[in-house]
Amino acid sequence: MTDVDRFYADHRDGVFRYLRRIVGGTDVAVDLTQEVFLRVSRAGVPATTEVGQRAWVFKIARNLALNYVRDGRRRPAVTGLPELVTPATQELGLALRHAIAALPDLERDVFLLREIAGLRYDEIASACDVPLETVRSRLHQARVTLRASLGSALDVRAQRGVSSSSAGPRGARDRQA
Amino acid sequence: MDGRFDIIDAFVDGEPVDPGALKSALTDAEGRDYLVDAWLLRNVVQDEMAQESAVPRPARRAARRPWLIAAAVAGVCLVGGYVAGTRFPTAVGSPPVAESPRVETAAAPASSFPVPPPTRVIRLELEPTAAEPGAGR
């Protein structure tokens, strides 16, 4: 297995999920994911730390996604959920998608790179070409906005309880590992 | 809620934090609410992610292993044959019952059928000659 193959195996799902959130459609996300790793194979995986490599590939993905959205003047589409989820969960999931789609671009990207891709703050800063403090402030603002948008739906979720193992600190990174 | 709670975000995200500053932020009821909200929000996002499928695998991967397809087809044939054999033993699985051969006697051909008359008749007359061994004895 070459470096590129291993790199693809390690990052394809995270890149796909991130892109799918940005562009809204599975088919487009698949195409853009292929484009990301086509560029990776052309350029070769940089000889740097794992942190640097993750930031690098998500920077490529973010740029492609932003170009796609800007070129078509598209906003992220809000797609339906799989039928297997319960109605209450479906309603909350749809509300979450709407709320994420309504975020300003940088806040949305910072939030998705953190929650979907599991990047660390310094990786997000590198991927988005912004200072670390900007990552902190935008991420915080995104959460505040989402909390306000979801409102009572999140309270209902709180009444149902959450699993500490799935939503605790570093939950996203642990799950990816 | 404002930037005072950045440190709570950092804590939730597993980033390095100053324990004193975190403790200070959590003394505020609003800060504690924010911690719970951030935690709930992550839970919702993680549930959403769990519903999403991973990137679809390219179909050409199947073509890389033709032996796998051949083995699958052979297996299906074997199982199908076995099932058919158990369900329809006489029709498929066992040899047909031998029936007594049916004998039909064909009518004897006509005793005579038109034979053309000979056009030439060659008669051979055999006479002993001297050259023949034993001749004249």
Side-chain angles (χ1 to χ4, degrees):
Chain A
M1 182 180 270
T2 65
D3 286 347
V4 173
D5 289 339
R6 190 164 50 246
F7 196 74
Y8 174 72
D10 288 345
H11 297 294
R12 65 183 171 203
D13 288 344
V15 168
F16 169 75
R17 290 195 180 102
Y18 166 71
L19 287 171
R20 190 174 181 280
R21 286 292 180 177
I22 297 287
V23 301
T26 300
D27 291 341
V28 177
V30 168
D31 290 345
L32 289 180
T33 302
Q34 290 177 350
E35 178 64 25
V36 168
F37 287 99
L38 184 64
R39 295 189 181 198
V40 168
S41 66
R42 284 176 183 162
V45 180
T48 180
T49 62
E50 187 181 347
V51 172
Q53 290 175 348
R54 278 157 51 93
W56 175 70
V57 72
F58 276 97
K59 187 173 186 176
I60 295 173
R62 180 173 182 264
N63 287 338
L64 283 173
L66 289 180
N67 286 341
Y68 174 82
V69 173
R70 284 171 186 161
D71 288 349
R73 293 181 180 178
R74 303 174 181 93
R75 292 296 298 171
V78 178
T79 55
L81 291 173
E83 293 178 357
L84 53 92
V85 297
T86 60
T89 305
Q90 188 171 0
E91 185 180 347
L92 182 56
L94 197 59
L96 177 67
R97 291 178 181 215
H98 278 293
I100 290 175
L103 288 173
D105 286 350
L106 184 56
E107 285 181 21
R108 184 195 62 220
D109 289 345
V110 167
F111 180 79
L112 292 179
L113 286 171
R114 172 57 225 157
E115 297 292 347
I116 303 292
L119 266 60
R120 296 181 350 194
Y121 285 7
D122 54 347
E123 294 173 312
I124 298 172
S126 178
C128 296
D129 277 332
V130 295
L132 196 59
E133 282 309 309
T134 303
V135 173
R136 291 179 184 276
S137 62
R138 296 304 176 98
L139 185 57
H140 177 72
Q141 187 55 47
R143 283 177 171 148
V144 170
T145 304
L146 291 174
R147 176 66 184 86
S149 300
L150 295 177
S152 58
L154 209 55
D155 293 334
V156 171
R157 181 54 174 267
Q159 291 170 3
R160 288 172 48 201
V162 295
S163 166
S164 59
S165 60
S166 65
R170 305 185 68 85
R173 293 181 65 82
D174 293 344
R175 184 167 293 204
Q176 283 208 339
Chain B
M1 297 181 186
D2 52 34
R4 291 177 297 154
F5 302 136
D6 285 3
I7 193 165
I8 296 177
D9 287 300
F11 173 67
V12 168
D13 291 331
E15 296 287 324
V17 295
D18 175 12
L22 177 62
K23 193 178 291 185
S24 174
L26 291 178
T27 56
D28 190 338
E30 200 177 355
R32 292 194 294 274
D33 286 345
Y34 181 74
L35 172 64
V36 173
D37 289 344
W39 196 8
L40 284 172
L41 189 58
R42 165 155 303 162
N43 191 267
V44 172
V45 172
Q46 297 294 327
D47 280 0
E48 267 283 281
M49 273 179 54
Q51 303 296 338
E52 291 183 345
S53 59
V55 57
R57 300 293 184 265
R60 61 187 172 87
R61 282 181 177 271
R64 289 180 184 173
R65 294 174 182 170
W67 57 267
L68 194 61
I69 298 172
V73 169
V76 168
C77 289
L78 283 173
V79 171
Y82 174 77
V83 171
T86 54
R87 289 191 179 182
F88 313 107
T90 56
V92 177
S94 61
V97 176
E99 296 178 357
S100 57
R102 188 174 179 181
V103 178
E104 291 184 359
T105 305
S111 58
S112 63
F113 48 88
V115 177
T119 55
R120 285 177 71 184
V121 176
I122 300 173
R123 293 178 184 273
L124 297 177
E125 294 182 357
L126 300 177
E127 293 181 356
T129 62
E132 285 187 38
R137 287 182 186 173

